[in-house]
Amino acid sequence: MRLGDWILSISMVLNVAAMLAYAYEGHWRNVGYWFGVMQINFWLMRMR
């Protein structure tokens, strides 16, 4: 894996953590936002 892939992986883990935290608090609009950000990171990682 390249260094950028590691950075995107860490970002995806943080995105999931943010989604879970917002879901726990009931802020569903923020969950949707972070899910979209996670999808962008996932597709960026697949672009190699």
Side-chain angles (χ1 to χ4, degrees):
M1 279 177 53
R2 299 176 184 164
L3 180 60
D5 293 340
W6 284 104
I7 292 170
L8 283 174
S9 297
I10 292 168
S11 177
M12 289 172 62
V13 168
L14 292 174
N15 291 339
V16 169
M19 284 173 35
L20 292 174
Y22 281 123
Y24 177 75
E25 294 176 351
H27 298 287
W28 300 108
R29 187 179 277 173
N30 293 90
V31 172
Y33 171 80
W34 286 108
F35 182 72
V37 170
M38 188 185 69
Q39 286 181 331
I40 291 170
N41 286 341
F42 175 76
W43 288 110
L44 285 172
M45 200 160 86
R46 304 245 321 151
M47 283 178 50
R48 316 187 235 184

